[in-house]
Amino acid sequence: MSPEQLAFFRQRLLAERDALLQSAHETTQHLHEFERTPDPSDRASLEEDHSLELRVRDRERKHLHTIDEALARIDDGSYGWCEFTGEPIGLARLLARPTATMSVEAQELHEKRRKMRGR
């Protein structure tokens, strides 16, 4: 992968990371805003909304970790190479999923094996 391509993916990953961090900050601000509602149904609805928002943020927190790992792979020179086959992942896959660690073929094989094991 050329230095220009690596710089492009680094910038894309950093932008995605910044967007996730901003979203997390907004969630924190939103959860700190206390809305007093006397109606138990409204309170339950509000609590369910908060619960859903926290689940989304937890998923995003895990995605932040994969972004950091992808940035580390750019730094160590292993970005864009399948961790199982050692073959290039391919630009189309990386454009669709910049945090990918496997080629499409290796990912499909991995998912089939997981499905067969029942996980």
Side-chain angles (χ1 to χ4, degrees), residues 1 5 9 12 79-80 88-97:
M1 192 173 291
Q5 290 169 324
F9 284 110
R12 186 160 178 192
Y79 184 80
I89 291 175
L91 291 177
R93 174 146 168 84
L94 290 172
L95 285 169
R97 186 174 180 94

Side-chain angles (χ1 to χ4, degrees), residues 2 9 12-13 21 25 28-29 35 38 40 45 51 62 79 82 97-98 106 108-109 115 117-118:
S2 74
F9 284 110
R12 186 160 178 192
L13 288 163
L21 290 173
H25 178 71
T28 302
Q29 295 290 47
E35 296 177 36
S45 179
S51 177
K62 292 174 185 172
Y79 184 80
C82 180
R97 186 174 180 94
E108 288 172 349
L109 181 61
K115 196 173 195 178
R117 289 189 305 228

